[in-house]
Amino acid sequence: DAGVTQSPTHLIKTRGQQVTLRCSPKSGHDTVSWYQQALGQGPQFIFQYYEEEERQRGNFPDRFSGHQFPNYSSELNVNALLLGDSALYLCASSLVVAGEALAKNIQYFGAGTRLSVL
Amino acid sequence: DAKTTQPTSMDCAEGRAANLPCNHSTISGNEYVYWYRQIHSQGPQYIIHGLKNNETNEMASLIITEDRKSSTLILPHATLRDTAVYYCIVKAHNFNKFYFGSGTKLNVKP
């Protein structure tokens, strides 16, 4: 049973460019969340997709956008890259269970995509 | 979400129990306590979570105080592979996202 997979593992871009990161959730999961982790810090929540819609969003500018496909996989897009966007981008998947508190929802993380902006 | 406070770093001898404390004094009655760990350059790994009662699984035990204002993650027999940053997170009832703090860097030494 494959876990959460992310691609690519590493990426180098220059300022002003655009980037797309991809995530395949764990088998059976329907929700994908994206996090940004700067060096030496804990992950920061970007947004979450469920039923192909953005459901929750953290404090990130609209340069950060995403998409969820019918097979539950997801993409994270970042436009007009800044040096400060250099980070490890993590995808986490989970399964929403009807009638169950969202707080009980365990998220499983992928290994991440390391983005370097030069 | 309630804030958590963890020590910046801890040391533990290999084979001994590692007890990692977490303070969450502003936790609400319907908020869960989660623990994740992150080994260098990997994604966070789920360890355990709980609401009120103590919990145990194959990885660890979670002890939550009766007033729920603090908790302790216990790794019963730490190995060198347990060296990682451990995050204690309080998750709100109606939110499906995590706010990570800085965590505790656990150093397991031979």
PDB file of all heavy atoms in Angstrom, chain B residues 7-44:
ATOM      1  N   PRO B   7      10.043  21.825  25.455  1.00  0.00           N
ATOM      2  CA  PRO B   7      11.470  22.164  25.578  1.00  0.00           C
ATOM      3  C   PRO B   7      12.132  22.120  24.203  1.00  0.00           C
ATOM      4  O   PRO B   7      11.728  21.357  23.335  1.00  0.00           O
ATOM      5  CB  PRO B   7      12.017  21.073  26.506  1.00  0.00           C
ATOM      6  CG  PRO B   7      11.007  19.991  26.492  1.00  0.00           C
ATOM      7  CD  PRO B   7       9.700  20.610  26.193  1.00  0.00           C
ATOM      8  N   THR B   8      13.141  22.940  24.031  1.00  0.00           N
ATOM      9  CA  THR B   8      13.808  23.024  22.741  1.00  0.00           C
ATOM     10  C   THR B   8      14.530  21.731  22.404  1.00  0.00           C
ATOM     11  O   THR B   8      14.484  21.262  21.268  1.00  0.00           O
ATOM     12  CB  THR B   8      14.805  24.184  22.734  1.00  0.00           C
ATOM     13  OG1 THR B   8      14.116  25.396  23.044  1.00  0.00           O
ATOM     14  CG2 THR B   8      15.476  24.322  21.378  1.00  0.00           C
ATOM     15  N   SER B   9      15.181  21.146  23.389  1.00  0.00           N
ATOM     16  CA  SER B   9      15.924  19.913  23.135  1.00  0.00           C
ATOM     17  C   SER B   9      16.001  19.057  24.394  1.00  0.00           C
ATOM     18  O   SER B   9      15.830  19.559  25.515  1.00  0.00           O
ATOM     19  CB  SER B   9      17.336  20.229  22.637  1.00  0.00           C
ATOM     20  OG  SER B   9      18.075  20.874  23.634  1.00  0.00           O
ATOM     21  N   MET B  10      16.219  17.757  24.189  1.00  0.00           N
ATOM     22  CA  MET B  10      16.372  16.804  25.277  1.00  0.00           C
ATOM     23  C   MET B  10      17.346  15.728  24.831  1.00  0.00           C
ATOM     24  O   MET B  10      17.432  15.407  23.638  1.00  0.00           O
ATOM     25  CB  MET B  10      15.043  16.143  25.624  1.00  0.00           C
ATOM     26  CG  MET B  10      13.987  17.047  26.199  1.00  0.00           C
ATOM     27  SD  MET B  10      12.480  16.129  26.593  1.00  0.00           S
ATOM     28  CE  MET B  10      13.081  14.991  27.819  1.00  0.00           C
ATOM     29  N   ASP B  11      18.033  15.163  25.808  1.00  0.00           N
ATOM     30  CA  ASP B  11      18.903  14.030  25.546  1.00  0.00           C
ATOM     31  C   ASP B  11      18.334  12.793  26.231  1.00  0.00           C
ATOM     32  O   ASP B  11      17.673  12.886  27.269  1.00  0.00           O
ATOM     33  CB  ASP B  11      20.317  14.287  26.078  1.00  0.00           C
ATOM     34  CG  ASP B  11      21.039  15.361  25.294  1.00  0.00           C
ATOM     35  OD1 ASP B  11      20.684  15.580  24.112  1.00  0.00           O
ATOM     36  OD2 ASP B  11      21.951  15.989  25.862  1.00  0.00           O
ATOM     37  N   CYS B  12      18.621  11.636  25.659  1.00  0.00           N
ATOM     38  CA  CYS B  12      18.170  10.381  26.239  1.00  0.00           C
ATOM     39  C   CYS B  12      19.208   9.310  25.897  1.00  0.00           C
ATOM     40  O   CYS B  12      19.729   9.281  24.765  1.00  0.00           O
ATOM     41  CB  CYS B  12      16.803   9.997  25.689  1.00  0.00           C
ATOM     42  SG  CYS B  12      16.174   8.415  26.292  1.00  0.00           S
ATOM     43  N   ALA B  13      19.494   8.439  26.859  1.00  0.00           N
ATOM     44  CA  ALA B  13      20.426   7.345  26.609  1.00  0.00           C
ATOM     45  C   ALA B  13      19.710   6.218  25.876  1.00  0.00           C
ATOM     46  O   ALA B  13      18.544   5.909  26.163  1.00  0.00           O
ATOM     47  CB  ALA B  13      21.000   6.832  27.922  1.00  0.00           C
ATOM     48  N   GLU B  14      20.399   5.625  24.946  1.00  0.00           N
ATOM     49  CA  GLU B  14      19.831   4.510  24.183  1.00  0.00           C
ATOM     50  C   GLU B  14      19.379   3.399  25.121  1.00  0.00           C
ATOM     51  O   GLU B  14      20.083   3.044  26.072  1.00  0.00           O
ATOM     52  CB  GLU B  14      20.886   3.983  23.215  1.00  0.00           C
ATOM     53  CG  GLU B  14      20.368   2.936  22.246  1.00  0.00           C
ATOM     54  CD  GLU B  14      21.440   2.486  21.263  1.00  0.00           C
ATOM     55  OE1 GLU B  14      22.640   2.673  21.557  1.00  0.00           O
ATOM     56  OE2 GLU B  14      21.077   1.941  20.204  1.00  0.00           O
ATOM     57  N   GLY B  15      18.183   2.880  24.867  1.00  0.00           N
ATOM     58  CA  GLY B  15      17.640   1.817  25.702  1.00  0.00           C
ATOM     59  C   GLY B  15      16.808   2.295  26.880  1.00  0.00           C
ATOM     60  O   GLY B  15      16.048   1.522  27.471  1.00  0.00           O
ATOM     61  N   ARG B  16      16.937   3.568  27.200  1.00  0.00           N
ATOM     62  CA  ARG B  16      16.149   4.129  28.296  1.00  0.00           C
ATOM     63  C   ARG B  16      14.864   4.718  27.756  1.00  0.00           C
ATOM     64  O   ARG B  16      14.699   4.938  26.561  1.00  0.00           O
ATOM     65  CB  ARG B  16      16.959   5.210  29.025  1.00  0.00           C
ATOM     66  CG  ARG B  16      18.294   4.754  29.571  1.00  0.00           C
ATOM     67  CD  ARG B  16      18.140   3.690  30.627  1.00  0.00           C
ATOM     68  NE  ARG B  16      17.468   4.178  31.822  1.00  0.00           N
ATOM     69  CZ  ARG B  16      18.108   4.692  32.870  1.00  0.00           C
ATOM     70  NH1 ARG B  16      19.411   4.796  32.862  1.00  0.00           N
ATOM     71  NH2 ARG B  16      17.418   5.097  33.912  1.00  0.00           N
ATOM     72  N   ALA B  17      13.932   4.985  28.666  1.00  0.00           N
ATOM     73  CA  ALA B  17      12.679   5.620  28.257  1.00  0.00           C
ATOM     74  C   ALA B  17      12.913   7.105  28.002  1.00  0.00           C
ATOM     75  O   ALA B  17      13.612   7.766  28.771  1.00  0.00           O
ATOM     76  CB  ALA B  17      11.619   5.433  29.332  1.00  0.00           C
ATOM     77  N   ALA B  18      12.311   7.588  26.938  1.00  0.00           N
ATOM     78  CA  ALA B  18      12.345   9.024  26.648  1.00  0.00           C
ATOM     79  C   ALA B  18      10.982   9.603  26.992  1.00  0.00           C
ATOM     80  O   ALA B  18       9.955   9.111  26.504  1.00  0.00           O
ATOM     81  CB  ALA B  18      12.676   9.276  25.184  1.00  0.00           C
ATOM     82  N   ASN B  19      10.977  10.608  27.856  1.00  0.00           N
ATOM     83  CA  ASN B  19       9.731  11.252  28.279  1.00  0.00           C
ATOM     84  C   ASN B  19       9.731  12.690  27.785  1.00  0.00           C
ATOM     85  O   ASN B  19      10.482  13.521  28.280  1.00  0.00           O
ATOM     86  CB  ASN B  19       9.611  11.228  29.803  1.00  0.00           C
ATOM     87  CG  ASN B  19       9.515   9.823  30.347  1.00  0.00           C
ATOM     88  OD1 ASN B  19       8.460   9.208  30.337  1.00  0.00           O
ATOM     89  ND2 ASN B  19      10.642   9.298  30.794  1.00  0.00           N
ATOM     90  N   LEU B  20       8.881  12.984  26.827  1.00  0.00           N
ATOM     91  CA  LEU B  20       8.845  14.305  26.224  1.00  0.00           C
ATOM     92  C   LEU B  20       7.606  15.063  26.716  1.00  0.00           C
ATOM     93  O   LEU B  20       6.480  14.656  26.430  1.00  0.00           O
ATOM     94  CB  LEU B  20       8.827  14.214  24.696  1.00  0.00           C
ATOM     95  CG  LEU B  20      10.116  13.701  24.041  1.00  0.00           C
ATOM     96  CD1 LEU B  20      10.109  12.190  23.936  1.00  0.00           C
ATOM     97  CD2 LEU B  20      10.306  14.341  22.681  1.00  0.00           C
ATOM     98  N   PRO B  21       7.813  16.162  27.423  1.00  0.00           N
ATOM     99  CA  PRO B  21       6.675  16.915  27.968  1.00  0.00           C
ATOM    100  C   PRO B  21       6.124  17.943  26.994  1.00  0.00           C
ATOM    101  O   PRO B  21       6.832  18.429  26.100  1.00  0.00           O
ATOM    102  CB  PRO B  21       7.288  17.605  29.181  1.00  0.00           C
ATOM    103  CG  PRO B  21       8.706  17.874  28.760  1.00  0.00           C
ATOM    104  CD  PRO B  21       9.099  16.723  27.861  1.00  0.00           C
ATOM    105  N   CYS B  22       4.861  18.282  27.202  1.00  0.00           N
ATOM    106  CA  CYS B  22       4.205  19.311  26.406  1.00  0.00           C
ATOM    107  C   CYS B  22       3.181  20.023  27.289  1.00  0.00           C
ATOM    108  O   CYS B  22       2.390  19.380  27.963  1.00  0.00           O
ATOM    109  CB  CYS B  22       3.519  18.697  25.193  1.00  0.00           C
ATOM    110  SG  CYS B  22       2.668  19.908  24.139  1.00  0.00           S
ATOM    111  N   ASN B  23       3.223  21.331  27.256  1.00  0.00           N
ATOM    112  CA  ASN B  23       2.251  22.131  27.993  1.00  0.00           C
ATOM    113  C   ASN B  23       1.238  22.713  27.032  1.00  0.00           C
ATOM    114  O   ASN B  23       1.612  23.307  26.014  1.00  0.00           O
ATOM    115  CB  ASN B  23       2.971  23.249  28.754  1.00  0.00           C
ATOM    116  CG  ASN B  23       2.015  24.101  29.563  1.00  0.00           C
ATOM    117  OD1 ASN B  23       1.301  24.938  29.015  1.00  0.00           O
ATOM    118  ND2 ASN B  23       1.988  23.879  30.862  1.00  0.00           N
ATOM    119  N   HIS B  24      -0.034  22.517  27.341  1.00  0.00           N
ATOM    120  CA  HIS B  24      -1.128  23.091  26.513  1.00  0.00           C
ATOM    121  C   HIS B  24      -2.215  23.574  27.448  1.00  0.00           C
ATOM    122  O   HIS B  24      -3.342  23.054  27.440  1.00  0.00           O
ATOM    123  CB  HIS B  24      -1.649  22.085  25.479  1.00  0.00           C
ATOM    124  CG  HIS B  24      -1.591  20.646  25.911  1.00  0.00           C
ATOM    125  ND1 HIS B  24      -2.522  20.072  26.764  1.00  0.00           N
ATOM    126  CD2 HIS B  24      -0.707  19.668  25.587  1.00  0.00           C
ATOM    127  CE1 HIS B  24      -2.222  18.805  26.942  1.00  0.00           C
ATOM    128  NE2 HIS B  24      -1.131  18.518  26.248  1.00  0.00           N
ATOM    129  N   SER B  25      -1.880  24.570  28.246  1.00  0.00           N
ATOM    130  CA  SER B  25      -2.744  25.021  29.338  1.00  0.00           C
ATOM    131  C   SER B  25      -4.046  25.653  28.861  1.00  0.00           C
ATOM    132  O   SER B  25      -4.991  25.757  29.650  1.00  0.00           O
ATOM    133  CB  SER B  25      -1.987  25.996  30.234  1.00  0.00           C
ATOM    134  OG  SER B  25      -1.548  27.107  29.480  1.00  0.00           O
ATOM    135  N   THR B  26      -4.122  26.084  27.602  1.00  0.00           N
ATOM    136  CA  THR B  26      -5.345  26.731  27.102  1.00  0.00           C
ATOM    137  C   THR B  26      -6.207  25.782  26.266  1.00  0.00           C
ATOM    138  O   THR B  26      -7.113  26.225  25.561  1.00  0.00           O
ATOM    139  CB  THR B  26      -4.998  27.977  26.269  1.00  0.00           C
ATOM    140  OG1 THR B  26      -4.213  27.571  25.137  1.00  0.00           O
ATOM    141  CG2 THR B  26      -4.233  28.995  27.093  1.00  0.00           C
ATOM    142  N   ILE B  27      -5.955  24.506  26.370  1.00  0.00           N
ATOM    143  CA  ILE B  27      -6.685  23.532  25.559  1.00  0.00           C
ATOM    144  C   ILE B  27      -8.167  23.540  25.908  1.00  0.00           C
ATOM    145  O   ILE B  27      -8.551  23.718  27.072  1.00  0.00           O
ATOM    146  CB  ILE B  27      -6.080  22.130  25.742  1.00  0.00           C
ATOM    147  CG1 ILE B  27      -6.612  21.164  24.688  1.00  0.00           C
ATOM    148  CG2 ILE B  27      -6.317  21.619  27.159  1.00  0.00           C
ATOM    149  CD1 ILE B  27      -5.866  19.825  24.668  1.00  0.00           C
ATOM    150  N   SER B  28      -8.995  23.382  24.894  1.00  0.00           N
ATOM    151  CA  SER B  28     -10.439  23.309  25.098  1.00  0.00           C
ATOM    152  C   SER B  28     -10.869  21.856  25.235  1.00  0.00           C
ATOM    153  O   SER B  28     -10.130  20.943  24.877  1.00  0.00           O
ATOM    154  CB  SER B  28     -11.182  23.951  23.918  1.00  0.00           C
ATOM    155  OG  SER B  28     -10.830  25.300  23.777  1.00  0.00           O
ATOM    156  N   GLY B  29     -12.112  21.688  25.723  1.00  0.00           N
ATOM    157  CA  GLY B  29     -12.565  20.335  26.029  1.00  0.00           C
ATOM    158  C   GLY B  29     -12.661  19.398  24.843  1.00  0.00           C
ATOM    159  O   GLY B  29     -12.588  18.183  25.004  1.00  0.00           O
ATOM    160  N   ASN B  30     -12.813  19.945  23.644  1.00  0.00           N
ATOM    161  CA  ASN B  30     -12.985  19.082  22.476  1.00  0.00           C
ATOM    162  C   ASN B  30     -11.772  19.101  21.557  1.00  0.00           C
ATOM    163  O   ASN B  30     -11.868  18.719  20.389  1.00  0.00           O
ATOM    164  CB  ASN B  30     -14.243  19.481  21.712  1.00  0.00           C
ATOM    165  CG  ASN B  30     -14.234  20.937  21.297  1.00  0.00           C
ATOM    166  OD1 ASN B  30     -13.220  21.620  21.433  1.00  0.00           O
ATOM    167  ND2 ASN B  30     -15.346  21.424  20.776  1.00  0.00           N
ATOM    168  N   GLU B  31     -10.659  19.552  22.051  1.00  0.00           N
ATOM    169  CA  GLU B  31      -9.425  19.576  21.255  1.00  0.00           C
ATOM    170  C   GLU B  31      -8.571  18.352  21.566  1.00  0.00           C
ATOM    171  O   GLU B  31      -8.434  17.950  22.714  1.00  0.00           O
ATOM    172  CB  GLU B  31      -8.635  20.859  21.511  1.00  0.00           C
ATOM    173  CG  GLU B  31      -9.320  22.112  20.974  1.00  0.00           C
ATOM    174  CD  GLU B  31      -8.513  23.372  21.226  1.00  0.00           C
ATOM    175  OE1 GLU B  31      -7.904  23.480  22.301  1.00  0.00           O
ATOM    176  OE2 GLU B  31      -8.511  24.258  20.335  1.00  0.00           O
ATOM    177  N   TYR B  32      -8.008  17.782  20.513  1.00  0.00           N
ATOM    178  CA  TYR B  32      -7.186  16.604  20.639  1.00  0.00           C
ATOM    179  C   TYR B  32      -5.702  16.986  20.737  1.00  0.00           C
ATOM    180  O   TYR B  32      -5.265  17.978  20.153  1.00  0.00           O
ATOM    181  CB  TYR B  32      -7.379  15.685  19.424  1.00  0.00           C
ATOM    182  CG  TYR B  32      -8.653  14.894  19.441  1.00  0.00           C
ATOM    183  CD1 TYR B  32      -9.886  15.507  19.217  1.00  0.00           C
ATOM    184  CD2 TYR B  32      -8.632  13.520  19.683  1.00  0.00           C
ATOM    185  CE1 TYR B  32     -11.065  14.770  19.232  1.00  0.00           C
ATOM    186  CE2 TYR B  32      -9.804  12.783  19.692  1.00  0.00           C
ATOM    187  CZ  TYR B  32     -11.016  13.415  19.473  1.00  0.00           C
ATOM    188  OH  TYR B  32     -12.171  12.677  19.488  1.00  0.00           O
ATOM    189  N   VAL B  33      -4.937  16.131  21.409  1.00  0.00           N
ATOM    190  CA  VAL B  33      -3.485  16.278  21.461  1.00  0.00           C
ATOM    191  C   VAL B  33      -2.869  15.266  20.503  1.00  0.00           C
ATOM    192  O   VAL B  33      -3.149  14.065  20.592  1.00  0.00           O
ATOM    193  CB  VAL B  33      -2.940  16.035  22.882  1.00  0.00           C
ATOM    194  CG1 VAL B  33      -1.411  16.162  22.881  1.00  0.00           C
ATOM    195  CG2 VAL B  33      -3.567  17.022  23.862  1.00  0.00           C
ATOM    196  N   TYR B  34      -2.052  15.753  19.585  1.00  0.00           N
ATOM    197  CA  TYR B  34      -1.364  14.919  18.617  1.00  0.00           C
ATOM    198  C   TYR B  34       0.148  15.026  18.826  1.00  0.00           C
ATOM    199  O   TYR B  34       0.664  16.071  19.211  1.00  0.00           O
ATOM    200  CB  TYR B  34      -1.662  15.384  17.184  1.00  0.00           C
ATOM    201  CG  TYR B  34      -2.946  14.875  16.591  1.00  0.00           C
ATOM    202  CD1 TYR B  34      -4.172  15.419  16.959  1.00  0.00           C
ATOM    203  CD2 TYR B  34      -2.927  13.848  15.658  1.00  0.00           C
ATOM    204  CE1 TYR B  34      -5.349  14.953  16.394  1.00  0.00           C
ATOM    205  CE2 TYR B  34      -4.102  13.377  15.089  1.00  0.00           C
ATOM    206  CZ  TYR B  34      -5.307  13.937  15.461  1.00  0.00           C
ATOM    207  OH  TYR B  34      -6.475  13.467  14.908  1.00  0.00           O
ATOM    208  N   TRP B  35       0.832  13.939  18.512  1.00  0.00           N
ATOM    209  CA  TRP B  35       2.280  13.938  18.460  1.00  0.00           C
ATOM    210  C   TRP B  35       2.726  13.414  17.100  1.00  0.00           C
ATOM    211  O   TRP B  35       2.267  12.368  16.632  1.00  0.00           O
ATOM    212  CB  TRP B  35       2.880  13.073  19.571  1.00  0.00           C
ATOM    213  CG  TRP B  35       2.827  13.716  20.925  1.00  0.00           C
ATOM    214  CD1 TRP B  35       1.786  13.716  21.806  1.00  0.00           C
ATOM    215  CD2 TRP B  35       3.878  14.437  21.559  1.00  0.00           C
ATOM    216  NE1 TRP B  35       2.109  14.400  22.941  1.00  0.00           N
ATOM    217  CE2 TRP B  35       3.392  14.854  22.832  1.00  0.00           C
ATOM    218  CE3 TRP B  35       5.188  14.780  21.203  1.00  0.00           C
ATOM    219  CZ2 TRP B  35       4.162  15.594  23.726  1.00  0.00           C
ATOM    220  CZ3 TRP B  35       5.963  15.508  22.095  1.00  0.00           C
ATOM    221  CH2 TRP B  35       5.453  15.907  23.335  1.00  0.00           C
ATOM    222  N   TYR B  36       3.635  14.167  16.503  1.00  0.00           N
ATOM    223  CA  TYR B  36       4.306  13.762  15.278  1.00  0.00           C
ATOM    224  C   TYR B  36       5.809  13.879  15.525  1.00  0.00           C
ATOM    225  O   TYR B  36       6.257  14.604  16.413  1.00  0.00           O
ATOM    226  CB  TYR B  36       3.941  14.690  14.102  1.00  0.00           C
ATOM    227  CG  TYR B  36       2.620  14.397  13.435  1.00  0.00           C
ATOM    228  CD1 TYR B  36       1.419  14.785  14.032  1.00  0.00           C
ATOM    229  CD2 TYR B  36       2.571  13.739  12.219  1.00  0.00           C
ATOM    230  CE1 TYR B  36       0.211  14.523  13.407  1.00  0.00           C
ATOM    231  CE2 TYR B  36       1.371  13.474  11.587  1.00  0.00           C
ATOM    232  CZ  TYR B  36       0.196  13.865  12.184  1.00  0.00           C
ATOM    233  OH  TYR B  36      -1.006  13.603  11.566  1.00  0.00           O
ATOM    234  N   ARG B  37       6.580  13.203  14.716  1.00  0.00           N
ATOM    235  CA  ARG B  37       8.018  13.396  14.760  1.00  0.00           C
ATOM    236  C   ARG B  37       8.547  13.553  13.332  1.00  0.00           C
ATOM    237  O   ARG B  37       7.936  13.060  12.381  1.00  0.00           O
ATOM    238  CB  ARG B  37       8.735  12.251  15.478  1.00  0.00           C
ATOM    239  CG  ARG B  37       8.815  10.944  14.707  1.00  0.00           C
ATOM    240  CD  ARG B  37       9.539   9.912  15.540  1.00  0.00           C
ATOM    241  NE  ARG B  37       9.695   8.635  14.842  1.00  0.00           N
ATOM    242  CZ  ARG B  37      10.232   7.562  15.399  1.00  0.00           C
ATOM    243  NH1 ARG B  37      10.674   7.597  16.651  1.00  0.00           N
ATOM    244  NH2 ARG B  37      10.347   6.440  14.703  1.00  0.00           N
ATOM    245  N   GLN B  38       9.677  14.212  13.238  1.00  0.00           N
ATOM    246  CA  GLN B  38      10.265  14.458  11.942  1.00  0.00           C
ATOM    247  C   GLN B  38      11.761  14.177  12.018  1.00  0.00           C
ATOM    248  O   GLN B  38      12.504  14.874  12.701  1.00  0.00           O
ATOM    249  CB  GLN B  38      10.025  15.894  11.479  1.00  0.00           C
ATOM    250  CG  GLN B  38      10.441  16.148  10.041  1.00  0.00           C
ATOM    251  CD  GLN B  38       9.995  17.515   9.543  1.00  0.00           C
ATOM    252  OE1 GLN B  38       9.793  18.447  10.313  1.00  0.00           O
ATOM    253  NE2 GLN B  38       9.835  17.660   8.221  1.00  0.00           N
ATOM    254  N   ILE B  39      12.128  13.115  11.329  1.00  0.00           N
ATOM    255  CA  ILE B  39      13.534  12.769  11.208  1.00  0.00           C
ATOM    256  C   ILE B  39      14.102  13.622  10.093  1.00  0.00           C
ATOM    257  O   ILE B  39      13.424  13.901   9.106  1.00  0.00           O
ATOM    258  CB  ILE B  39      13.688  11.259  10.949  1.00  0.00           C
ATOM    259  CG1 ILE B  39      13.127  10.487  12.136  1.00  0.00           C
ATOM    260  CG2 ILE B  39      15.129  10.882  10.670  1.00  0.00           C
ATOM    261  CD1 ILE B  39      12.987   8.996  11.927  1.00  0.00           C
ATOM    262  N   HIS B  40      15.339  14.004  10.235  1.00  0.00           N
ATOM    263  CA  HIS B  40      15.965  14.977   9.354  1.00  0.00           C
ATOM    264  C   HIS B  40      15.624  14.772   7.888  1.00  0.00           C
ATOM    265  O   HIS B  40      15.797  13.687   7.355  1.00  0.00           O
ATOM    266  CB  HIS B  40      17.483  14.934   9.542  1.00  0.00           C
ATOM    267  CG  HIS B  40      18.212  15.967   8.742  1.00  0.00           C
ATOM    268  ND1 HIS B  40      18.029  17.315   8.946  1.00  0.00           N
ATOM    269  CD2 HIS B  40      19.081  15.851   7.730  1.00  0.00           C
ATOM    270  CE1 HIS B  40      18.788  17.984   8.095  1.00  0.00           C
ATOM    271  NE2 HIS B  40      19.433  17.117   7.344  1.00  0.00           N
ATOM    272  N   SER B  41      15.075  15.851   7.277  1.00  0.00           N
ATOM    273  CA  SER B  41      14.807  15.900   5.840  1.00  0.00           C
ATOM    274  C   SER B  41      13.696  14.951   5.386  1.00  0.00           C
ATOM    275  O   SER B  41      13.551  14.705   4.211  1.00  0.00           O
ATOM    276  CB  SER B  41      16.070  15.603   5.033  1.00  0.00           C
ATOM    277  OG  SER B  41      17.039  16.607   5.257  1.00  0.00           O
ATOM    278  N   GLN B  42      12.936  14.411   6.324  1.00  0.00           N
ATOM    279  CA  GLN B  42      11.798  13.577   5.947  1.00  0.00           C
ATOM    280  C   GLN B  42      10.501  14.281   6.329  1.00  0.00           C
ATOM    281  O   GLN B  42      10.505  15.277   7.037  1.00  0.00           O
ATOM    282  CB  GLN B  42      11.874  12.217   6.645  1.00  0.00           C
ATOM    283  CG  GLN B  42      13.097  11.402   6.280  1.00  0.00           C
ATOM    284  CD  GLN B  42      13.106  10.047   6.971  1.00  0.00           C
ATOM    285  OE1 GLN B  42      12.068   9.564   7.423  1.00  0.00           O
ATOM    286  NE2 GLN B  42      14.265   9.432   7.046  1.00  0.00           N
ATOM    287  N   GLY B  43       9.372  13.756   5.860  1.00  0.00           N
ATOM    288  CA  GLY B  43       8.092  14.305   6.254  1.00  0.00           C
ATOM    289  C   GLY B  43       7.734  13.908   7.674  1.00  0.00           C
ATOM    290  O   GLY B  43       8.211  12.894   8.181  1.00  0.00           O
ATOM    291  N   PRO B  44       6.910  14.687   8.357  1.00  0.00           N
ATOM    292  CA  PRO B  44       6.486  14.328   9.711  1.00  0.00           C
ATOM    293  C   PRO B  44       5.787  12.971   9.726  1.00  0.00           C
ATOM    294  O   PRO B  44       5.024  12.639   8.813  1.00  0.00           O
ATOM    295  CB  PRO B  44       5.515  15.450  10.090  1.00  0.00           C
ATOM    296  CG  PRO B  44       5.928  16.617   9.253  1.00  0.00           C
ATOM    297  CD  PRO B  44       6.391  16.005   7.962  1.00  0.00           C
TER     298      PRO B  44
END
